Amino acid sequence: MKTTEAENIEPRELFMRGKEWQNRNNFVKAVLLDVFLVFYALILLQRVIYYKLILDLREVPFGWPQLGAVFIVSVVLGASWAFTRTSLATRLFKLHRDNNITKWNVEIFAWLLFDLTFIAGWVVTKISIVDLFSAEGIHGANRIFSAMFHPNMGIFDDALSAIIETIYLALIATLLSIPPTFLVSFFTARNLMRENKITFAIYYILRIVFNFVRSIEPLIWAIIFSVWVGIGPYAGMIALLVHSVASNAKLYSEAIEGIEEGPVEAMVATGANRIQVVWYAVVPQIVLPFLSFTIYRWDINVRMATVIGLVGGGGIGTMLMQYQGLARWNEVGLIVLMIAFVVWVMDYISARVREAIY
Amino acid sequence: MLLKLQNLHKVYKSGTHALKGVSFEVREGEFLVVIGLSGSGKSTLLRCINRLLEPTSGTIEFMGQDITHVKGEELRHVHQQIAMVFQNFNLVKRRSVLTNVITGRLASLSTVDSVLERFSPEVYEEAFQALRTVGIEEKAKERADALSGGQQQRVAIARSLMQYFEKINNELGTTIICSLHFLSLVRRYATRVIALRQGGIIYQGDPKDINKEWFKTIYGEEAEEVEIR
Ligand SMILES: Nc1ncnc2c1ncn2[C@@H]1O[C@H](COP(=O)(O)OP(=O)(O)O)[C@@H](O)[C@H]1O
């Protein structure tokens, strides 16, 4: 019999074994994390605090040997620190010695990391109070604001047709995204795909592909497609379409993963095939969430469409970019007002519709 | 013999050993009742029998065929021949009562027809007949979740009756295996009873022979029998 081993193990025993294995695993992670944190702290200390703040260098020197040396030092420091079980990472994984040394170590190091990160962020951003409130700066702000508050109504007709183009572009991208997203979301839902190895492999690959596609902003997709199909609304539409499919597939499949399993089991028990089970037990449970996500996506796509225009995706964004390039702030003012209005209306409508659905 | 279980074991992934060597046989037309405390393995046993679960070891023979590890098309064929009524109904809440009942017959409909919800008049006729049998024909058009708990259970029974319309069962008569808690009901309906405790059979026989002593062994020292008539 296959199960003799499983039979003789006490549940408690099994639990403790799992725990032990997990602890060992976590300790490896803790060592790696400690090494990384020490490395991070040392690099910031050297490059930001020493070179930038103390020596005030313009060009920070860069060299692999030096970096390697810092890395080796951090490996030694981080690992030995983790092995004393008083480090920050061992505390995070709850593998620490529970004493005052750990407490001080963790507190001081965590503060150091936070402060270093904050200072580095400040330096990198080139924050300057002087620039914000200099006479020249104030004068510039004055010019642009006064122009923007006197929008040039002369271009209203052009702007109106551009913004309509934007809304339709977003609408088409959303509509076209529905069928592929609907189909693909069943293949990226864990509960439907986990049964056998082949389907699970498909699930896994699809997830990776979609995560990748999703992590690329629509703006970048628009750049890609404007080279592919030429600058204009079509490029913008495809960019939004691609991003919508990848983003909504995730939301859709999460909805599928959250369904009640009972009806599925009942359908399986009648001898229905896979497609029938999905159609009768899964689909009725997910139409409303799907509809709601899709409307929300249209709302998002309208905002995105205005931005996408900036890189040649057509619509109001392209127009905005042209006037901004010419420094015609009165025209820019009108366009900004119109975008704000449309986004606000879309936001309101989509919220209302989603409320009505649920 | 309709059903024959031999030394059936089920160990869940979590490590729970829910069935520990269960063996029994069921003849055509029997009304077998499974009793036992909650957690004793009743649902696990029923789910193994109609192969919603795959047993870890042992064998299940159904109508002379070993179905212990069947897969795919064969498994669907097994499901089609055994109807299941769930304790918590498992209806599709957003669909009508009628649609829920018809889903009991999906296995005998083509995929395209069922996705387009194109059902023949006979299917509708059978569905209404099933609803008449359980006495809620007038609720056919309502949404399943608009019904009371008891009515939903009737819908679930009607759904399983749709499977019963298959010829095979009609010729052989219906065999029922069911999990019950009230002993008075067991005595009234069961032709045979099996008591489970911690995944093993501790009593098997005529329901009338369950006396006070057996009762205490099955349900524990403190338990008291509740009468319902
Ligand atoms: N899906 C499951 N996964 C893991 N353990 C389960 C599962 N279903 C039931 N069990 C466990 O198996 C044992 C028997 O449960 P069950 O068959 O539901 O008993 P009963 O129907 O008699 O109340 C219990 O200990 C229960 O916790």
Side-chain angles (χ1 to χ4, degrees):
Chain A
M1 208 170 62
K2 294 186 262 182
T3 61
T4 36
E5 206 204 341
E7 253 170 74
N8 302 331
I9 300 172
E10 286 272 310
R12 207 186 119 76
E13 171 86 356
L14 214 70
F15 180 77
M16 296 311 282
R17 264 194 219 177
K19 198 88 187 149
E20 229 170 76
W21 188 81
Q22 199 188 358
N23 279 349
R24 221 171 301 153
N25 207 346
N26 279 348
F27 186 67
V28 175
K29 285 187 207 158
V31 172
L32 292 178
L33 185 61
D34 265 328
V35 169
F36 171 75
L37 290 176
V38 172
F39 181 66
Y40 174 72
L42 287 181
I43 286 287
L44 285 189
L45 266 176
Q46 184 204 22
R47 306 187 80 78
V48 178
I49 307 292
Y50 185 63
Y51 288 153
K52 275 274 184 193
L53 286 185
I54 297 178
L55 298 184
D56 201 14
L57 298 180
R58 282 194 146 241
E59 291 285 321
V60 176
F62 181 87
W64 285 109
Q66 191 197 33
L67 214 60
V70 175
F71 183 70
I72 289 168
V73 171
S74 357
V75 169
V76 174
L77 276 180
S80 41
W81 197 22
F83 275 98
T84 63
R85 305 224 172 206
T86 57
S87 67
L88 180 57
T90 51
R91 175 73 186 77
L92 288 178
F93 283 103
K94 298 205 165 57
L95 298 166
H96 58 291
R97 281 211 187 90
D98 207 3
N99 58 23
N100 273 341
I101 300 176
T102 311
K103 205 175 140 217
W104 285 108
N105 266 334
V106 168
E107 270 176 26
I108 292 171
F109 190 54
W111 260 114
L112 181 73
L113 283 178
F114 179 78
D115 291 343
L116 281 176
T117 305
F118 188 79
I119 293 169
W122 187 282
V123 170
V124 168
T125 322
K126 301 198 171 98
I127 290 182
S128 157
I129 310 281
V130 178
D131 284 352
L132 196 58
F133 292 112
S134 68
E136 202 184 332
I138 297 281
H139 180 70
N142 216 345
R143 199 174 36 165
I144 193 166
F145 275 117
S146 69
M148 294 226 301
F149 283 117
H150 297 93
N152 178 359
M153 298 304 283
I155 59 156
F156 183 79
D157 296 353
D158 288 345
L160 187 66
S161 71
I163 206 159
I164 288 174
E165 185 177 297
T166 296
I167 294 173
Y168 274 87
L169 184 157
L171 177 66
I172 288 294
T174 312
L175 286 179
L176 289 185
S177 79
I178 296 173
T181 317
F182 183 79
L183 269 182
V184 100
S185 61
F186 293 100
F187 295 94
T188 52
R190 195 187 183 85
N191 53 344
L192 300 181
M193 302 295 282
R194 69 179 159 214
E195 265 151 51
N196 73 51
K197 289 200 182 71
I198 299 169
T199 56
F200 197 73
I202 297 173
Y203 157 86
Y204 214 82
I205 292 167
L206 279 177
R207 278 257 154 148
I208 291 173
V209 170
F210 281 129
N211 278 339
F212 181 72
V213 172
R214 198 170 44 243
S215 65
I216 299 174
E217 285 291 314
L219 199 66
I220 296 163
W221 283 115
I223 293 173
I224 294 171
F225 285 111
S226 64
V227 176
W228 189 337
V229 302
I231 285 179
Y234 185 42
M237 195 282 282
I238 301 183
L240 286 180
L241 175 62
V242 168
H243 194 74
S244 296
V245 171
S247 308
N248 268 1
K250 185 179 167 69
L251 292 178
Y252 281 22
S253 40
E254 271 166 12
I256 297 175
E257 284 165 8
I259 60 162
E260 222 189 306
E261 290 283 341
V264 175
E265 197 182 23
M267 290 302 105
V268 171
T270 65
N273 66 34
R274 255 186 129 70
I275 296 173
Q276 291 170 324
V277 171
V278 167
W279 187 256
Y280 281 94
V282 181
V283 172
Q285 296 194 56
I286 54 178
V287 262
L288 288 191
F290 277 26
L291 211 59
S292 162
F293 293 145
T294 306
I295 292 168
Y296 185 48
R297 183 59 54 188
W298 183 29
D299 181 8
I300 293 174
N301 278 348
V302 171
R303 290 158 208 245
M304 295 258 190
T306 61
V307 177
I308 274 178
L310 300 178
V311 295
I316 192 86
T318 304
M319 201 168 164
L320 177 63
M321 186 193 58
Q322 284 159 359
Y323 283 110
Q324 185 255 336
L326 299 171
R328 308 243 316 246
W329 303 116
N330 300 74
E331 284 77 2
V332 169
L334 178 74
I335 294 171
V336 168
L337 275 182
M338 288 178 76
I339 292 174
F341 178 73
V342 166
V343 167
W344 174 70
V345 169
M346 285 301 304
D347 192 54
Y348 181 78
I349 294 175
S350 108
R352 270 308 159 89
V353 173
R354 279 181 291 138
E355 249 170 55
I357 285 176
Y358 266 115
Chain B
M1 210 46 70
L2 182 73
L3 182 72
K4 190 168 167 184
L5 275 63
Q6 270 176 331
N7 198 20
L8 208 67
H9 284 260
K10 175 67 195 176
V11 182
Y12 282 106
K13 278 211 188 86
S14 64
T16 308
H17 198 161
L19 292 180
K20 301 173 185 158
V22 172
S23 310
F24 62 85
E25 297 181 349
V26 185
R27 262 171 284 115
E28 282 90 13
E30 269 195 279
F31 194 125
L32 175 71
V33 170
V34 184
I35 57 175
L37 284 175
S38 65
S40 58
K42 302 184 295 293
S43 322
T44 307
L45 176 63
L46 294 180
R47 283 190 163 79
C48 280
I49 290 174
N50 84 335
R51 281 302 319 283
L52 281 175
L53 289 176
E54 185 167 355
T56 315
S57 71
T59 56
I60 306 174
E61 255 179 57
F62 177 64
M63 305 208 304
Q65 185 204 354
D66 183 352
I67 61 160
T68 323
H69 302 290
V70 292
K71 286 197 168 59
E73 200 57 48
E74 273 184 300
L75 178 59
R76 275 209 291 284
H77 190 66
V78 171
H79 284 150
Q80 199 179 345
Q81 288 169 298
I82 306 174
M84 178 121 171
V85 182
F86 294 85
Q87 192 166 11
N88 45 354
F89 334 131
N90 289 345
L91 299 180
V92 182
K93 295 204 175 76
R94 296 188 166 277
R95 306 305 301 272
S96 71
V97 166
L98 189 64
T99 310
N100 267 285
V101 174
I102 290 173
T103 57
R105 272 214 45 182
L106 286 180
S108 52
L109 302 174
S110 83
T111 305
V112 176
D113 280 349
S114 47
V115 168
L116 297 177
E117 310 199 6
R118 222 169 30 193
F119 308 119
S120 67
E122 296 92 76
V123 172
Y124 281 114
E125 186 43 48
E126 282 175 19
F128 274 106
Q129 204 177 320
L131 281 173
R132 250 193 314 275
T133 313
V134 296
I136 46 167
E137 198 185 0
E138 75 281 0
K139 301 279 185 192
K141 292 285 175 208
E142 274 182 50
R143 248 172 68 154
D145 58 359
L147 268 56
S148 75
Q151 289 171 324
Q152 291 192 30
Q153 190 60 282
R154 284 163 189 241
V155 177
I157 292 171
R159 177 171 66 190
S160 67
L161 287 179
M162 290 298 277
Q163 275 174 268
Y164 167 87
F165 279 112
E166 293 292 300
K167 263 216 309 282
I168 308 167
N169 276 342
N170 265 339
E171 283 165 8
L172 298 177
T174 318
T175 311
I176 297 176
I177 304 177
C178 140
S179 157
L180 273 181
H181 282 292
F182 292 107
L183 276 182
S184 47
L185 292 179
V186 177
R187 292 201 186 96
R188 185 145 148 209
Y189 294 107
T191 56
R192 200 151 58 90
V193 67
I194 282 178
L196 288 180
R197 184 170 179 171
Q198 292 173 0
I201 295 184
I202 54 163
Y203 178 87
Q204 174 158 204
D206 196 306
K208 302 203 175 45
D209 295 339
I210 299 186
N211 52 24
K212 275 226 162 56
E213 227 167 282
W214 269 114
F215 184 81
K216 296 256 189 242
T217 343
I218 297 166
Y219 288 107
E221 286 299 328
E222 294 86 40
E224 252 180 72
E225 196 177 338
V226 187
E227 281 295 324
I228 58 163
R229 284 165 217 279

